[in-house]
Amino acid sequence: MTRNGARLAGMLVALGLAAAPLTALAQDKMPVNAHQYAVDHPVPDVTLRLAPTLGASVPAQVQLATIEGTKDFGYFYYDGRPVLVDMATRSIVRID
């Protein structure tokens, strides 16, 4: 093995060892299923002038329920069904 090859191999091993604790930590924490959380935690229905559609913006007066474990998505209920919303844009991303 050349000197540069040995150096590269050593760097790869060091990087692998440094990343190992992060990988183990990530595997221990299950990602939040936003849809399932909304189904398991229903909230009172919201009244809107028009039925919600994918990609539509949710009016500011609609209070979004938060999802424990994530700040990316929120939800509300319309006609007894959960509607998932991207919190950054207030765009509807899923309707059940």
Side-chain angles (χ1 to χ4, degrees):
M1 184 180 288
T2 67
R3 183 175 175 186
N4 286 339
R7 182 180 294 170
L8 179 59
M11 288 172 46
L12 292 175
V13 168
L15 287 173
L17 292 176
L22 297 176
T23 303
L25 180 62
Q27 290 174 353
D28 290 342
K29 185 166 175 104
M30 294 294 293
V32 173
N33 182 328
H35 173 259
Q36 190 60 52
Y37 186 92
V39 169
D40 292 343
H41 300 87
V43 294
D45 278 357
V46 168
T47 303
L48 298 173
R49 287 190 336 201
L50 300 172
T53 58
L54 285 178
S57 294
V58 178
Q61 67 267 22
V62 173
Q63 184 174 357
L64 300 176
T66 58
I67 297 173
E68 188 176 311
T70 183
K71 294 180 182 178
D72 297 330
F73 299 100
Y75 67 98
F76 66 94
Y77 267 64
Y78 179 85
D79 197 24
R81 302 178 302 162
V83 179
L84 293 179
V85 178
D86 180 318
M87 295 296 274
T89 63
R90 291 188 67 92
S91 295
I92 296 172
V93 295
R94 180 172 177 171
I95 304 170
D96 253 5

